[in-house]
Amino acid sequence: MNWKVKFDEKYRIVVLVYNGSNSAKDLFESSISAIEITNKKKVYKVLVESQNIITNLNRADIFKLPYELYNKWGMNKSIRIALLKPKDIEAQQIASFYEISTRNLGWETKIFPERKAALKWLLEDF
């Protein structure tokens, strides 16, 4: 398992951290874990620390998340998702596709080059 999900008490956000190689199964399991925490804690902000992710995914896997699984798992449309830009070029393309897909389906998602800017955006009133 090259991911972990935690709740940041200070900022009241869910933080999903990826390191190394992650498959579609990893992505689905980590996403459902993050959604469960957002629902339990009633928070609407998720920081995805994906700088060190290596993906073994295709676009169909990525699109399945917001198109099919997020609604099935009860992900609130009010959730804001901030992704930290991956270093890996292939992972950057997957992240960009994810950003477009989730935005088109109603979630507010944005990619950031660094954590400080992502936190600022997540913590803005909306």
Side-chain angles (χ1 to χ4, degrees):
M1 185 168 90
N2 291 323
W3 58 269
K4 66 180 175 180
V5 178
K6 58 189 175 183
F7 181 70
D8 185 314
E9 291 285 345
K10 179 181 177 182
Y11 294 115
R12 299 213 29 88
I13 63 173
V14 173
V15 181
L16 175 52
V17 181
Y18 291 105
N19 283 302
S21 182
N22 283 269
S23 66
K25 182 178 185 260
D26 294 324
L27 192 68
F28 298 161
E29 288 175 357
S30 61
S31 295
I32 196 166
S33 181
I35 291 166
E36 286 172 350
I37 294 172
T38 63
N39 291 338
K40 180 180 174 184
K41 298 284 189 177
K42 295 185 179 16
V43 297
Y44 303 105
K45 299 166 186 171
V46 177
L47 175 64
V48 181
E49 295 187 356
S50 51
Q51 316 89 302
N52 298 317
I53 193 171
I54 306 291
T55 58
N56 299 316
L57 308 166
N58 60 49
R59 288 179 183 233
D61 294 331
I62 296 303
F63 190 68
K64 185 175 182 177
L65 276 171
Y67 184 73
E68 181 182 328
L69 300 177
Y70 283 177
N71 287 320
K72 180 180 174 181
W73 295 333
M75 185 164 157
N76 191 308
K77 289 273 187 170
S78 299
I79 289 178
R80 266 187 174 187
I81 306 164
L83 284 93
L84 297 182
K85 184 178 179 180
K87 295 173 189 169
D88 180 74
I89 298 296
E90 192 172 310
Q92 287 176 19
Q93 294 170 347
I94 293 293
S96 292
F97 182 74
Y98 173 81
E99 177 186 32
I100 292 165
S101 298
T102 52
R103 289 181 78 96
N104 286 343
L105 293 167
W107 285 276
E108 196 169 351
T109 306
K110 194 169 180 179
I111 297 173
F112 293 89
E114 47 93 25
R115 193 174 204 272
K116 186 176 178 181
L119 281 174
K120 182 178 184 233
W121 180 75
L122 279 175
L123 299 175
E124 289 174 348
D125 289 332
F126 61 99

